[in-house]
Amino acid sequence: MAGEETMDLSLTLLLLAVAGFAGLHLLLSLPPVRSRLVAAAGATGFRIGYSVQAAVLLVLTILAYREAAYVPLWHAPWLAWVPVVVMPAALWLVIGALTTRNPTAAAPGGEAVLQPGARLPLYTAITRHPMLWGFLLWAVAHLLANGDLASLFLFGGIAVLSAAGMIGIDAKKRADPAFDFAALAACTSLFPFAATLAGRNRLAFTRGDALRLAAAILLYAALMHLHPWLFGVLPYPA
């Protein structure tokens, strides 16, 4: 009985941590809330505060996940290979999103890629939400590989937050009279490669993109090597 109560408590704490992490992100992304906070703290102050709270809540969520009881939901050893295959693409998208301009990113200046004659970055041409797709792929791959209740809470929550973030950002940009969402939608897509397949853009792989791909491969190799030390489990079936 005591063990069941401990299990319930650990999973409840994890669920609360995930809900707090996701809920605060969604709350701070609401235009009325965001605009008031930006007016009070300034754009830089808001970004710093947003980053700090996100980092703190993420650490608390990870700690809660590590202490959560293990409740298996499915057992399919072959699914452990899903992150091995998917993570290079996820890391590549995140690195590309962090190192190129994107009109949907929080950093200013991304709208410049929509100007006539400007080159659309490869990652924005693939999808207008490359970072969130990277997080979504990471979360879904690890959810499938783990197959337990705690992983469903953590990775499922991050997956939902990533998907909701894409929809929310599009809605916010569409409603912003100062932003030309029609121009963005004309050359990009929510789903990866949809705009390219529809002939609305062309993918151009540059020298910088090759360097980003190399960085993603190096980061992937490092994470594969350090995974047992960082997370306590092998990143592939033994």
Side-chain angles (χ1 to χ4, degrees), residues 144-164:
L144 293 174
N146 283 278
D148 64 288
L149 189 57
S151 296
L152 177 63
F153 288 164
L154 175 62
F155 298 116
I158 293 175
V160 169
L161 179 61
S162 300

Side-chain angles (χ1 to χ4, degrees), residues 37-198:
L37 291 175
V38 169
T44 302
F46 175 81
R47 283 196 294 268
I48 293 174
Y50 187 93
S51 300
V52 170
Q53 65 82 21
V56 171
L57 286 174
L58 180 60
V59 169
L60 291 176
T61 301
I62 293 173
L63 292 176
Y65 175 70
R66 296 184 66 172
E67 296 299 322
Y70 180 76
V71 179
L73 298 177
W74 61 80
H75 180 66
W78 65 271
L79 287 176
W81 290 105
V82 174
V84 177
V85 175
V86 169
M87 284 307 297
L91 293 171
W92 182 59
L93 285 172
V94 171
I95 289 174
L98 289 172
T99 56
T100 58
R101 289 181 173 182
N102 185 290
T104 65
E111 296 88 344
V113 304
L114 298 176
Q115 298 300 317
R119 185 185 68 83
L120 196 65
L122 173 64
Y123 311 92
T124 306
I126 292 173
T127 170
R128 56 178 172 264
H129 301 290
M131 180 174 289
L132 290 175
W133 269 105
F135 288 142
L136 180 60
L137 290 173
W138 166 75
V140 172
H142 283 76
L143 170 60
L144 293 174
N146 283 278
D148 64 288
L149 189 57
S151 296
L152 177 63
F153 288 164
L154 175 62
F155 298 116
I158 293 175
V160 169
L161 179 61
S162 300
M166 299 181 208
I167 297 171
I169 290 172
D170 278 3
K172 182 174 66 177
K173 294 295 186 181
R174 188 181 290 110
D176 185 357
F179 185 86
D180 191 355
F181 185 79
L184 176 64
C187 61
T188 65
S189 58
L190 173 64
F191 292 97
F193 301 106
T196 304
L197 293 174

